[in-house]
Amino acid sequence: MDFLKSLIQYPSYIFKFALYVLFIVISGLFYFSDNLRMADDTMKSAMSIAMFLYGAYRMIRTYQDFKNELKSDE
């Protein structure tokens, strides 16, 4: 709960976390959607995996930046 209380003090990080969660959700929808017409299923898989990895990587980096900012404010 301490994490959430400190997150409220930094609204820019809330926006960043939400943006990267959105990347992960869209990659899942893109991967599991059968309505997308693509020439090759491997291309659809590669694009969704790339979006997922980008969202996960940026979320981890944002969390590390957030923890460093909390430490610098103490």
Side-chain angles (χ1 to χ4, degrees):
M1 285 299 173
D2 189 38
F3 174 75
L4 293 176
K5 289 178 184 178
S6 57
L7 186 62
I8 292 172
Q9 296 172 355
Y10 299 96
S12 63
Y13 285 104
I14 293 172
F15 176 73
K16 288 178 184 180
F17 282 124
L19 181 67
Y20 300 132
V21 166
L22 186 64
F23 263 93
I24 293 171
V25 168
I26 288 175
S27 73
L29 290 174
F30 191 67
Y31 182 76
F32 292 113
S33 176
D34 291 334
N35 295 334
L36 297 173
R37 307 253 180 206
M38 297 192 87
D40 193 9
D41 284 338
T42 58
M43 179 63 82
K44 183 173 82 169
S45 298
M47 289 175 61
S48 63
I49 289 170
M51 285 176 58
F52 175 80
L53 289 175
Y54 176 75
Y57 171 75
R58 291 305 308 164
M59 185 176 290
I60 291 169
R61 293 295 305 193
T62 303
Y63 178 74
Q64 290 172 347
D65 292 343
F66 178 63
K67 289 303 242 182
N68 288 337
E69 189 159 337
L70 285 177
K71 287 180 183 177
S72 69
D73 285 347
E74 290 179 352

